[in-house]
Amino acid sequence: MRKICKIYRALVSGVMDMDEVVIKQPIGTIKYPGVAKGLYVASPSGKPALSSVRVLERDSENNCTLVQVEIQSGRPHQIRIHLSFIGYPLIGDPLYVSGGQPKCFHPELMDESFEKDGGYQRPENPVPGDCGYNLHAHQIGLIHPITNELIKITAPLPAILQTREEREAS
């Protein structure tokens, strides 16, 4: 059985009241200017996606929460979509807002030309590659297919995605 464990750190807007949450919202696509094959969003008709979120620290003074997210699936922008879907978008995310939808989406403005533009002209609205949010692939773990040895790879965390305890220890 193939099992890969992918763990991310993220800084979200708002103070999460729950300690852990499992998000099972499907992810699909919609037509969106500048994205030829469609923009991934929370969609009941989309493909299954599962994210397990655990709160690491709450910061009520700055209205944010540091979370760890383990994804079972790997849909494009899954973490951004799932966290925004439950009302906690990534701080600084120029695209996704609460509900797992794009910030600047107006269905009445969509037409067939958006699907064919290939994303080469710079759109006026945010697109998936835009940055500004704090999301970091922190760890990956997998079982070696021949030796059955656990292989764990960890990427160092930027200070903003470390807990107070981790910052003090370094």
Side-chain angles (χ1 to χ4, degrees):
M1 183 174 160
R2 183 174 167 230
K3 169 78 171 147
I4 297 177
C5 176
K6 298 173 271 186
I7 297 175
Y8 293 76
R9 288 275 180 101
L11 191 60
V12 300
S13 179
V15 178
M16 293 180 73
D17 51 354
M18 55 231 150
D19 292 330
E20 294 183 356
V21 62
V22 175
I23 308 164
K24 297 179 179 178
Q25 175 62 37
I27 295 175
T29 58
I30 58 170
K31 289 182 181 180
Y32 188 81
V35 184
K37 294 184 179 182
L39 178 69
Y40 288 92
V41 296
S43 169
S45 62
K47 293 182 179 179
L50 178 69
S51 299
S52 299
V53 181
R54 184 168 59 92
V55 170
L56 299 175
E57 279 186 352
R58 294 175 179 90
D59 183 348
S60 54
E61 186 177 311
N62 293 305
N63 192 35
C64 62
T65 306
L66 178 62
V67 297
Q68 178 171 292
V69 184
E70 182 176 348
I71 59 173
Q72 303 298 318
S73 44
R75 307 280 173 235
H77 310 291
Q78 177 175 326
I79 295 170
R80 295 169 69 190
I81 294 167
H82 273 177
L83 289 170
S84 68
F85 177 76
I86 63 168
Y88 298 96
L90 297 178
I91 289 179
D93 192 335
L95 183 56
Y96 295 102
V97 294
S98 291
Q101 299 296 315
K103 191 179 291 188
C104 305
F105 181 61
H106 302 289
E108 64 277 2
L109 299 179
M110 297 291 113
D111 65 35
E112 293 303 311
S113 67
F114 288 134
E115 186 177 12
K116 297 180 180 109
D117 73 359
Y120 295 115
Q121 292 183 348
R122 179 71 191 143
E124 292 178 23
N125 295 328
V127 293
D130 290 347
C131 296
Y133 50 89
N134 290 291
L135 175 64
H136 180 75
H138 180 46
Q139 293 179 336
I140 187 166
L142 57 110
I143 302 295
H144 190 281
I146 297 172
T147 66
N148 285 327
E149 175 188 2
L150 173 63
I151 299 170
K152 188 175 177 182
I153 301 166
T154 302
L157 291 163
I160 196 163
L161 295 178
Q162 294 176 356
T163 63
R164 280 183 217 97
E165 188 176 298
E166 289 168 335
R167 284 191 305 273
E168 290 168 3
S170 58

